[in-house]
Amino acid sequence: MTHAIEIADLHKYFGQNEVLKGIRMTVDPGQVVCVIGPSGSGKSTLLRCVNLLEVPTKGKVFVDGVELTDPDVDIDAVRRRIGMVFQQFNLFPHMTALQNVMIAQQRVLKRGKKEAEVVARENLDKVGVGAKCDAYPAQLSGGQQQRVAIARALAMNPDLMLFDEPTSALDPELVGDVLTVMRKLAEEGMTMLVVTHEMGFARQVADRVVFMDGGVIVEDGEPAQVIGDPQQERTRTFLHRVL
Ligand code: ADP
Ligand code: MG
């Protein structure tokens, strides 16, 4: 079986600073893998290397068997299959929720306006903000904005979703709505690589949890193992701080 994501000996330097020091991991189709670890450990850089927002210094990244690090690869074609959701929602402030979910479909996938609108409404309904189609981002709560951002990614029919701390900018009472949407996506079989501090979500939803520290993977295993019974001192220290 082809892995949905395969990362082989990935190194990333910013100048002299080596922030990823030989990462190896795989995500299989339909799996949910949560990446946890302290601030500065390289989690975002790792995710960004999976859709080439950052160019790996050394090593290989494959998405669905296609080597992204091959200089001849059609990066746009690969990226189109990968949805990404950031901590900051990055919605266009001058566009409604509906327009935010339509624009990339029209520009990138060349869908007509009618089709883009139908797909946008479907996905806004799916994430529970169908009643907010005509609202501008400033009129929405953070949780609603993040769900619009998820709908925008889903409207592109991605094979794979990357989430970088999607709930970290939200007020605590709004976190649950976003996690519920993510849990539903996982249940539908979406392949997901999720950087998160939500240990409850990781425990309940993830097939595997990866603990990173200092640019390396310290532990990789089932949630009950990595969160419930960590083998490494560094993992225990981190969990003591967040749990
Ligand atoms: P995390 O997401 O785990 O908090 P990051 O991947 O954001 O960690 O950052 C890992 C390290 O790489 C940090 O030391 C950070 O300062 C550095 N870093 C991240 N992005 C850049 C960049 N564009 N230029 C220089 N250094 C960066
Ligand atoms: Mg980060």
Side-chain angles (χ1 to χ4, degrees):
M1 185 178 58
T2 310
H3 299 297
I5 304 173
E6 181 178 358
I7 298 167
D9 196 31
L10 172 63
H11 294 255
K12 175 65 183 178
Y13 284 79
F14 289 110
Q16 299 292 313
N17 187 17
E18 187 179 22
V19 303
L20 297 178
K21 302 174 180 170
I23 301 286
R24 294 181 176 283
M25 66 180 285
T26 57
V27 179
D28 286 331
Q31 272 192 331
V32 178
V33 175
C34 285
V35 179
I36 64 173
S39 178
S41 58
K43 306 179 299 296
S44 293
T45 304
L46 173 64
L47 226 59
R48 293 165 65 83
C49 283
V50 175
N51 63 358
L52 293 190
L53 287 176
E54 298 292 352
V55 179
T57 309
K58 178 171 171 284
K60 292 184 177 179
V61 178
F62 300 84
V63 169
D64 211 5
V66 176
E67 186 189 336
L68 301 199
T69 34
D70 178 339
D72 294 331
V73 78
D74 180 350
I75 292 170
D76 291 334
V78 177
R79 269 208 199 115
R80 232 169 274 151
R81 294 157 54 188
I82 304 176
M84 181 135 181
V85 175
F86 301 90
Q87 182 176 333
Q88 301 303 336
F89 331 119
N90 305 322
L91 298 177
F92 292 115
H94 61 290
M95 291 185 186
T96 64
L98 187 68
Q99 289 166 337
N100 265 285
V101 181
M102 289 173 64
I103 184 82
Q105 298 185 62
Q106 294 175 275
R107 296 238 173 113
V108 178
L109 300 183
K110 310 291 179 203
R111 284 184 186 149
K113 192 165 179 244
K114 281 239 166 63
E115 186 189 1
E117 183 173 338
V118 169
V119 174
R121 286 188 189 279
E122 272 170 19
N123 282 289
L124 286 163
D125 277 343
K126 177 172 179 163
V127 300
V129 290
K132 299 288 181 184
C133 284
D134 298 324
Y136 288 87
Q139 300 168 317
L140 300 173
S141 73
Q144 290 168 335
Q145 289 184 60
Q146 188 59 298
R147 285 181 284 151
V148 173
I150 294 172
R152 175 180 58 183
L154 293 177
M156 305 296 282
N157 301 118
D159 296 330
L160 173 67
M161 288 282 287
L162 308 176
F163 291 87
D164 192 356
E165 298 195 33
T167 61
S168 294
L170 302 179
D171 292 335
E173 73 272 21
L174 304 177
V175 168
D177 291 338
V178 172
L179 293 180
T180 299
V181 167
M182 292 170 64
R183 184 176 290 124
K184 197 165 93 182
L185 266 185
E187 284 164 2
E188 287 173 6
M190 178 63 77
T191 308
M192 296 165 53
L193 183 58
V194 183
V195 176
T196 187
H197 294 294
E198 294 293 329
M199 294 302 142
F201 176 84
R203 265 194 113 118
Q204 289 164 20
V205 181
D207 295 289
R208 283 197 353 265
V209 173
V210 171
F211 172 67
M212 279 181 74
D213 193 12
V216 300
I217 292 178
V218 176
E219 287 196 52
D220 178 344
E222 291 185 4
Q225 170 74 58
V226 176
I227 300 175
D229 185 23
Q231 301 301 297
Q232 301 294 324
E233 188 54 42
R234 277 198 279 179
T235 317
R236 284 196 284 268
T237 306
F238 171 75
L239 289 169
H240 274 304
R241 269 188 281 133
V242 299
L243 285 177

